[in-house]
Each structure stands twice: as C-alpha cells, then as structure tokens.
Amino acid sequence: MKSLYVYLFSLFMIIGCSKSEEVKPQPEPNTPVELETLVPDAANRKLIVLSGRALHLNNEQIKDHGFIMLADTQNQFLENKISLGKTIQVGKITKKIDPSKELIAIGSFTYKFYVETNLGTYYGEPIRVTLSSIFIDYQSDLQGTVGEKITVNGDFAKITDGYILYSNYNDPKEIKYVISSNKNSIQFEIPSGYNHGTKLSIYFRPKAGNTAIDHDLNIAEVKILGTLEPPTHYEFYLNDYLRLSGPSATSGPFDKMYIIIGDKLVPYFYELALFDLIYEQPRSSYRIGYFNGRDTVIFPEKIRFKTPRPEDVQLRQAFVHPGGTMAATGLDMTRFYHMSVATVGNKEAYYNAHWTGNDQIQIGDVPDGSYPLIINSPFFNYTSKEKIQVQSLKPKSLSLSKGYYGQKITIYGNFINKERYFIQLGNYQYSESIAEAGSVTFDIPGVAPGKHPITLSYQDMNSKTYSVKSALTIEVLAPTFESFSPKSGKPGDIITLKGKGIGYGRILLGGEYVDVIGGNADAPQISIPNRFIYKGKAHFDVQFDHEWIQSKETFEIL
C-alpha cells in the first residue's frame, strides 16, 4: 500500500470542552449571519491551527473574515487580528500560525472567529486554549484511500494502552495503530465506511482520567478518496449500462469522483448508460478508469463493444424484387439500434426489426444480382454472410388466354408468396391479389371486350409503386344473355338470369333498374321490386359501360 509520512513534532492543547463536527441544517432565508468558533485542530509550542465554521452568510457583502486572538498576563496583553480576506464559503475555515515567543511565554490564549459584512461584524463564541507541551506538527491537508497507510512521526512516549485512536467525532470508530519501538512514530490505516470527500479527524482519546493526557489529542485530518474496482467484464453492447463500484465511491455533489472512458471525463454514478458516454467519440475500444481528485487510475483492459456476427442475419425467403422487402431475422436492434445506415447493392436499405423476430430488410431499386447486407456504424461495420438474391418480377404464363367477366385467371411467374400484387388490363383498373405458390389469381373485370396487355405492379413499404409491363395478353370476351327463369312472377319473386358475365352489368326490367340479390357473374339473381304496380310483359336489359344487351324473351309480370 501507499504510505503517507507526516512529521509531527508536538501534541495539542488542554481544553475543557469537546470537539464537535456536527453539520447543522441549512437555515431559512433571511437568517442572520451565523458563525461558530471551533476547538483548534492543533495548539502547541510549535504550531497552532485555528478553526471556525461559517454556518450561514445571508447573502451579505463580505468585507473581511478571520480570527482574533487575545492573550494576557499580569504584565502584558496581546491582541492579534488574523485577516483572511473577502473570499469565504459556508463551511469550516482553518488557519495555521506559528506561535510567537510572547504567546509561548504566556502559555494560553482566547480566540474567536469573525466575519465583517456591509451590515456589521459577527463573531463566534470565544474559546479558551492552553498550549500543550507535547509537540505535534498537525497536518490538515492529508488525503488517501481506504487501507492506505499513514505514518506520523512525533513524541508518542506518553501514548499507552490507556488511549484509543478514533476517526470521526460525530460517530467515532476505533482504529488499530502501531507505535514504533523508539516512540517517535505511529502508523495506522485509513478506515473504511466513509464516503469519498469526507474529512476525518484522527485523534487519541483517553480511556480514563488516570492517563498522562486527559483530553482528546488530534494527530491528523484525512480527506477520504474513493476508489473503483475494475469492471467484472470488458465486453458490452452499446445499450448496456456501465456499473462500477468500490470502497468509498459515491456520487456526491461537491467532492466528485470521475470516470474516465476513452477521452472523456464524466462525474461518477454507480450506473451510467454507455452509449451516452461514447457517442461523441466513436471507436472500437475505450480505455476505462477513474480520477478521485488525486489518483488517475486506468484499468489494464479496454472496454470493447460486441458486434453482430456475419452469420447472425438469416434470410427467410429465396429472393426479393427491386424495392421489395426480404423476410429476415437475427439482428437484435435493441442492442444495435445505432446501426441506421444500411445498403444492399450500393443502394440505401433499412433493417426493420420486430419484437417477434419477423424482421424485414427493405431494399432500394437494385439491379438483379446477389448482394450482402452492409451496415455502416460509427462504431463498426457489418457485412452479412448470407446474400440477398434480387430478381425482377417476371410473369411467365396464364392459366387461360381468354375468358368472360368474373372468370378466374392465374398468372404464373416468380411471385413471392404472401406478397401483394396489382394486375392491370390495358388502361383499365387494378385488381389486387396475394401471391400463393408462385402465382397470382384475379377475376376478369368488366372492361371492354377485346385483347388487353397485362401490367403487374407491387409497392414498397413507403407506397412507392414498381410496375412491370409483361408480354402476356388476355382476351376479354363480350358478355352474353342466354335465358332467365321462371318466365313470369309477381313483385317480391326471385328470378335467375343466365349468360356469360352478365352479373357485371346493371340489370333493368321493363326499363327500370332492379337490384341483384345473389347468384354469380354467369347467373345473377334479382327480386321483382314491390314498386312495380303494372302487369304485363317486359324485356330484361343488361347495361355495361361499353354496350347494352337485351333478352330475346319477355318476362310476364303477374
């Protein structure tokens, strides 16, 4: 362990009151300036350390602060004002001085802490001090970590088993110590159980009144420095949290500890989001350590970030069309969410993850070919082992080359199962179809009879349409009206018409429209409207956008 050697040549004062390190609660606003004169940290013939505390300053303008010392005998009176200037903060104030020959001769003094403001001068209660004949060169600027050894040199001949070494006046804890054989040094370890930044008074206290010294004997003040243990592992995902702990480590608001990660110094907290720490300094590995105000410690290994493996992306379909989506799985985007810039075939692509694992890779308008998924990250680059096969849509053949309205036609080609396709005949409307077994099926729509070229299309995730004009054509046959039954009926009766594709037209009876209530394209069923109040014979007519056909026979309305 490290050792701190403090050379102390005197011991301290004899005084009737005990030392207090109590931290008082923050006063309410507009509370007057409040001060406290503390027992000196050291008072002997070699060194005096005066001590006071500013409890509240009330936002007044500070003109001066310091200590006033008074000493008198029958023959002489000494007064010494020790000014420390205008700069002061709430908390403990100390001042080291060398005692004058006159003060040593007198052997005792009274002192008080003061603050002068624009509204007046304030004083702490005076304290009476007697100089000790035991020499200790009291040190107040020590700092160290738990377990660190401190060696104090001085006159410890009068320190026997009748004394206990303690830390902290508020909650005293006993400390083990060793006095050298020649009684001119003492060694102890900084105790555990205190937070980083805590200032500990280290002092001897007699067990009973029969000791050579009947008062507390300060030997040092030590500021506790926290330390951190190395990480339990050095490989992380970017969305992981960094958790570091160690003796006395704390995230206090004043005496801060810092974590070193890469080139960044950040205030210590037990749990920190890694991505927040390193997003401004992308690289593949980062040094990790801490700074506690004195020590800069860098751990022997660097933090490294886990990257997806080339084989992690698994494709779940054989190929994809340009601009289409490839079913995939394998990348946990909760861990790799920063991987936002992807390409397939040098065109922008997107890896859309889903919590079920049914992910999709949206590619751009890429030429036919075989391409890996490439994701460029500020922290690393990724190339998939499996390659995405891109095939343009190629319709090959039809189940029928001609047909009537409503007749089902199947188109065969390299259609992707469960994908949505749109079929267009010539310049006429689209039909939708979900592909199954490498084909799509549609019903011949009510377009003008004749031959029509077939155009197929699909859309990407952003509704952009990709169209393919095929070499296939379909001949749409003109609808026919063959017969109807029964031949007569009254309002409310159901009549069935027979023909080819006549269900795609609007049906009239005696020049008035009637509603289709069932049947199919070749055998629609209608109901004679109740509004028909006349009786007699009438023709059925079927109206299409491009023609009008009439039944050869007449229907008799009863």
Side-chain angles (χ1 to χ4, degrees), residues 309-313 315 371-375 382-388:
R309 300 171 304 170
E311 59 271 21
D312 281 350
V313 171
L315 306 178
Y371 309 96
L373 170 68
I374 297 175
I375 303 179
Y382 174 77
T383 301
S384 66
K385 182 178 180 180
E386 282 196 69
K387 293 186 176 181
I388 297 172

Side-chain angles (χ1 to χ4, degrees), residues 302-378:
K302 290 185 175 182
I303 280 182
R304 299 172 300 278
F305 290 104
K306 297 179 181 179
T307 62
R309 300 171 304 170
E311 59 271 21
D312 281 350
V313 171
Q314 299 174 16
L315 306 178
R316 295 189 289 112
Q317 66 189 54
F319 61 91
V320 64
H321 302 315
T325 56
M326 168 66 77
T329 190
L331 282 186
D332 184 352
M333 296 307 284
T334 61
R335 290 176 169 172
F336 303 116
Y337 58 88
H338 57 284
M339 300 174 64
S340 56
V341 181
T343 59
V344 172
N346 295 322
K347 294 289 184 72
E348 190 173 22
Y350 299 93
Y351 191 98
N352 301 306
H354 194 270
W355 64 272
T356 61
N358 295 323
D359 305 341
Q360 290 183 323
I361 302 172
Q362 172 73 49
I363 72 169
D365 191 2
V366 179
D368 288 11
S370 180
Y371 309 96
L373 170 68
I374 297 175
I375 303 179
N376 296 315
S377 161

Side-chain angles (χ1 to χ4, degrees), residues 185-249:
S185 68
I186 183 175
Q187 189 176 77
F188 63 91
E189 292 184 0
I190 295 178
S192 61
Y194 300 100
N195 287 338
H196 172 83
T198 301
K199 290 185 177 180
L200 289 182
S201 292
I202 309 298
Y203 60 95
F204 277 107
R205 175 169 288 176
K207 293 181 181 179
N210 59 351
T211 54
I213 306 169
D214 61 357
H215 58 274
D216 290 349
L217 182 64
N218 274 5
I219 67 171
E221 183 180 70
V222 181
K223 179 180 177 180
I224 299 297
L225 301 178
T227 60
L228 295 177
E229 300 292 340
T232 56
H233 59 283
Y234 287 87
E235 287 195 346
F236 294 86
Y237 289 104
L238 278 175
N239 69 325
D240 282 342
Y241 284 86
L242 179 66
R243 297 178 177 91
L244 296 176
S245 61
S248 301

Side-chain angles (χ1 to χ4, degrees), residues 239-272:
N239 69 325
D240 282 342
Y241 284 86
L242 179 66
R243 297 178 177 91
L244 296 176
S245 61
S248 301
T250 184
S251 54
F254 302 111
D255 289 293
K256 292 183 178 180
M257 292 182 63
Y258 292 88
I259 289 177
I260 299 168
I261 182 163
D263 299 328
K264 204 168 186 179
L265 197 69
V266 296
Y268 168 77
F269 286 91
Y270 167 69
E271 186 175 83
L272 290 166

